[in-house]
Amino acid sequence: MTLTVTDLTIARGGMPVLAGVSFTLMAGHALILRGPNGVGKTTLLRTIAGLQPALGGQVTGAEDQIAYAAHSDGLKAMLSVRENLIFWAEVFGQTDIAPALVAFDLCDLADRLAGTLSAGQKRRLGLARLLVTGRPIWVLDEPTVSLDVASVEMFGTAVRAHLKQGGMALIATHIDLGLLDAKVLDVSPFIARREVPLGSSDEAFL
């Protein structure tokens, strides 16, 4: 399996931000996106995940294969930790949540309401959703927000296990996750010239 991004041009708020982005991500590998705040990393990830249209270029290999996680934990406050994971597993046609509970040290919290968790615990639960999707491509936007050092290592371990099983990870982060073989792509050279035209399809997202 391969995720290929070819000559991708993306916009935020109607203005082009990155143009000509191209890369290939193979099974078992991770790609780390870097660049200053506001350069367009989040917009790029959202476009690749299919959450907003591109102005130009192409993304192939992503169809129904991506699990996307960003700043929102995506939790239902009045459901327990277990019930939240069951909900998301069912959304993706999966049933087994036990590995997710173990991987993110949530077993002792399984019956706690998500709304009563600390910020770090909520983040761990939000990331645990990745393990119940069954999706091979993880697209992650600053996934370690609110995590302490031990939880960052926990997350890094989960990513490494995912890659070992043939998965892929595309991650915008400045944190060292211990992904020794991961390649790094600085998106700064792809900052768009403002004369790139606005596509009509982008206007629906303004």
Side-chain angles (χ1 to χ4, degrees), residues 73-95:
D73 294 319
L75 307 178
K76 295 183 177 292
M78 297 309 295
L79 293 183
S80 70
V81 167
R82 189 193 318 277
E83 289 167 338
N84 268 280
L85 289 178
I86 290 173
F87 170 82
W88 284 108
E90 291 177 346
V91 166
F92 288 94
Q94 305 294 313
T95 57

Side-chain angles (χ1 to χ4, degrees), residues 2-190:
T2 303
L3 173 67
T4 303
V5 173
T6 306
D7 201 25
L8 198 65
T9 297
I10 62 173
R12 179 179 61 234
M15 296 296 294
V17 288
L18 297 175
V21 180
S22 298
F23 63 83
T24 298
L25 184 59
M26 306 291 291
H29 294 271
L31 179 65
I32 307 299
L33 297 184
R34 295 276 168 80
N37 291 339
V39 74
K41 300 186 296 297
T42 292
T43 304
L44 176 60
L45 293 178
R46 286 179 53 82
T47 303
I48 291 171
L51 299 177
Q52 66 184 68
L55 293 186
Q58 189 173 19
V59 179
T60 56
E63 298 82 2
D64 296 323
Q65 301 296 315
I66 285 179
Y68 175 76
H71 303 110
S72 172
D73 294 319
L75 307 178
K76 295 183 177 292
M78 297 309 295
L79 293 183
S80 70
V81 167
R82 189 193 318 277
E83 289 167 338
N84 268 280
L85 289 178
I86 290 173
F87 170 82
W88 284 108
E90 291 177 346
V91 166
F92 288 94
Q94 305 294 313
T95 57
D96 188 8
I97 68 166
L101 289 170
V102 172
F104 285 91
D105 193 23
L106 296 169
C107 294
D108 291 342
L109 301 172
D111 296 319
R112 284 266 303 273
L113 293 180
T116 68
L117 300 176
S118 70
Q121 290 168 338
K122 288 177 181 177
R123 191 59 175 166
R124 278 161 41 208
L125 176 55
L127 293 172
R129 294 179 303 151
L130 294 166
L131 276 68
V132 303
T133 65
R135 296 284 177 90
I137 306 174
W138 291 0
V139 175
L140 312 174
D141 188 7
E142 299 293 349
T144 59
V145 172
S146 299
L147 294 183
D148 58 21
V149 173
S151 296
V152 169
E153 174 55 30
M154 193 181 302
F155 171 67
T157 297
V159 174
R160 292 190 294 271
H162 180 65
L163 300 179
K164 189 174 181 180
Q165 294 167 2
M168 293 178 268
L170 176 61
I171 311 173
T173 182
H174 293 281
I175 302 297
D176 181 6
L177 298 175
L179 305 176
L180 300 180
D181 296 327
K183 294 183 178 180
V184 176
L185 176 64
D186 184 347
V187 299
S188 300
F190 300 103

